[in-house]
Amino acid sequence: MKRILIDTDIGVDDALAVLFALKSPELLVEAITTVSGNVHVEQCTRNLRITLGCMNLEELPLISQGEEAPLTMPLVTSAHVHGSDGLGGISGDLAPDGTRLYPELECPLSPISAVDTITDLVNRYPDELILVPVGPLTNIAKAMLNSPAVMRRVREIVLMGGVFEIYGNVTTQAEFNIYADPQAAQVVFNFGVPITMMPLDVTHQVVLTRERLDAEANRRNTRLIQFLRDSTQACMVYHQEREGVKGLYMHDPLAIGYLLQPDYFDVVDAYVQVETLGDLTQGRTVGNLRAQRASRAPNARVCVEVDAERFLRFFFDCVVS
Ligand code: BDR
Ligand code: CA
């Protein structure tokens, strides 16, 4: 059993990651913290409650709201990809009786900030808690800056972010989570706890198509399945129209997949730094993935290949069960 904390700017693929983790008996999700990214953090917290409302959970993780803005830069969002509400526009959908189709789960929000929640939990579970950030790294970096001694006891960070040998998805050079707060990312990469990263190079290998989702969804007709269909619809259309991709990249669920099935992935060690200054290259993750030419001791394990079909099979067996 792995004890984890998910830190999320919950948009469409983040919601899939949250469902995947909460449905996995091998993971103990202690807390889910929110951070501004895909949309503003207050909307992220609403999205988390909507996502949790689609599940019949007996026990809820701790929920804590995080940072509103990056460490030093103005907030950038990706509402054009995830919809203005971050969930493909479904948060306002109505049922035939006029009630909200996807209401927020009424559950308590922690009175303490995400940053304090992170340090509290690391304190409670030293050398055990795994952090899984799938949004900008603002909360994690702040926890490291505020409480370095505590944060040295993080067991591992498994994050979605970065890009190495293909184009980025915000600029040609940068992936969104790192681009949105490069200063925070640099703090995290320089901190010295073990990091495994899921860059675009690997997440672009796994596309969830409408046909696949429909085929899997036909196995069950639950509220959760309906949520999967509805929340992904607009994002799939965006990818088709703007990038010619027939579906949705499974960015954030892959971080959860790595925790559960590391054998599905090929990983290389690298020394990774973040470009924080470049006018044209802000947010670029820089690292030499060809081990024989490495000049510095590695600070990260970078996932470079995944068995996409095995991953999707495993994801659906877990989520549609
Ligand atoms: C990342 O950015 C977000 O839009 C996604 O949720 C994912 O975490 C992909 O670049
Ligand atoms: Ca995300």
Side-chain angles (χ1 to χ4, degrees):
M1 178 81 81
K2 291 181 172 168
R3 202 182 285 281
I4 69 168
L5 177 149
I6 301 174
D7 184 65
T8 171
D9 58 335
I10 184 162
V12 175
D13 63 312
D14 304 66
L16 302 184
V18 165
L19 296 172
F20 189 19
L22 290 172
K23 285 277 221 165
S24 300
E26 301 85 359
L27 298 178
L28 192 54
V29 184
E30 284 289 339
I32 304 179
T33 52
T34 56
V35 66
S36 280
N38 288 323
V39 284
H40 186 273
V41 69
E42 283 175 7
Q43 182 62 39
C44 290
T45 305
R46 283 195 277 277
N47 292 350
L48 178 56
R49 287 189 149 130
I50 287 173
T51 306
L52 295 175
C54 296
M55 306 184 76
N56 296 316
L57 294 170
E58 280 166 19
E59 263 186 81
L60 286 172
L62 194 61
I63 296 171
S64 184
Q65 185 162 296
E67 297 300 302
E68 278 194 86
L71 289 188
T72 58
M73 312 234 313
L75 175 63
V76 284
T77 67
S78 60
H80 57 294
V81 183
H82 293 259
S84 60
D85 65 354
L87 279 183
I90 64 160
S91 59
D93 286 359
L94 298 179
D97 65 0
T99 59
R100 294 257 299 279
L101 197 52
Y102 298 110
E104 292 168 39
L105 185 71
E106 287 182 23
C107 57
L109 185 64
S110 167
I112 64 171
S113 69
V115 172
D116 290 343
T117 298
I118 292 166
T119 50
D120 278 7
L121 280 171
V122 177
N123 236 334
R124 196 175 317 160
Y125 303 110
D127 308 319
E128 186 185 351
L129 190 70
I130 299 171
L131 305 183
V132 190
V134 291
L137 290 158
T138 320
N139 289 338
I140 311 292
K142 275 216 163 167
M144 289 171 168
L145 293 169
N146 291 354
S147 311
V150 173
M151 290 298 282
R152 299 230 176 277
R153 308 298 297 273
V154 167
R155 182 186 184 93
E156 185 184 4
I157 296 176
V158 178
L159 65 88
M160 189 280 136
V163 63
F164 292 91
E165 296 188 342
I166 60 173
Y167 278 154
N169 60 358
V170 186
T171 66
T172 57
Q173 300 300 304
E175 178 280 330
F176 178 77
N177 289 342
I178 307 295
Y179 177 87
D181 197 345
Q183 284 76 16
Q186 185 65 345
V187 168
V188 172
F189 279 99
N190 281 345
F191 190 72
V193 297
I195 294 175
T196 301
M197 45 185 310
M198 214 50 67
L200 291 185
D201 308 63
V202 73
T203 66
H204 278 197
Q205 294 170 24
V206 188
V207 177
L208 173 59
T209 62
R210 170 59 49 198
E211 292 73 23
R212 179 69 182 262
L213 179 53
D214 286 347
E216 298 287 349
N218 286 338
R219 288 156 62 189
R220 294 282 299 273
N221 185 19
T222 61
R223 183 178 170 65
L224 181 65
I225 297 295
Q226 194 57 40
F227 172 78
L228 288 184
R229 286 182 195 265
D230 291 347
S231 63
T232 54
Q233 175 64 25
C235 206
M236 285 186 176
V237 170
Y238 173 88
H239 279 91
Q240 172 77 63
E241 287 175 355
R242 301 297 291 270
E243 298 187 23
V245 174
K246 278 188 73 188
L248 183 81
Y249 293 121
M250 294 291 270
H251 302 294
D252 296 348
L254 278 161
I256 304 298
Y258 178 80
L259 290 167
L260 296 163
Q261 298 290 356
D263 293 353
Y264 292 1
F265 296 81
D266 287 347
V267 176
V268 299
D269 290 340
Y271 176 67
V272 177
Q273 293 287 281
V274 179
E275 180 57 84
T276 54
L277 298 174
D279 288 342
L280 303 175
T281 52
Q282 175 193 317
R284 178 87 194 166
T285 42
V286 179
N288 183 350
L289 304 188
R290 294 145 212 253
Q292 66 275 23
R293 284 194 259 130
S295 53
R296 298 280 305 255
N299 62 353
R301 291 159 53 75
V302 183
C303 290
V304 291
E305 291 284 337
V306 61
D307 186 332
E309 181 48 37
R310 277 177 94 196
F311 169 81
L312 283 172
R313 177 80 277 125
F314 183 78
F315 172 83
F316 279 111
D317 283 347
C318 181
V319 170
V320 188
S321 62

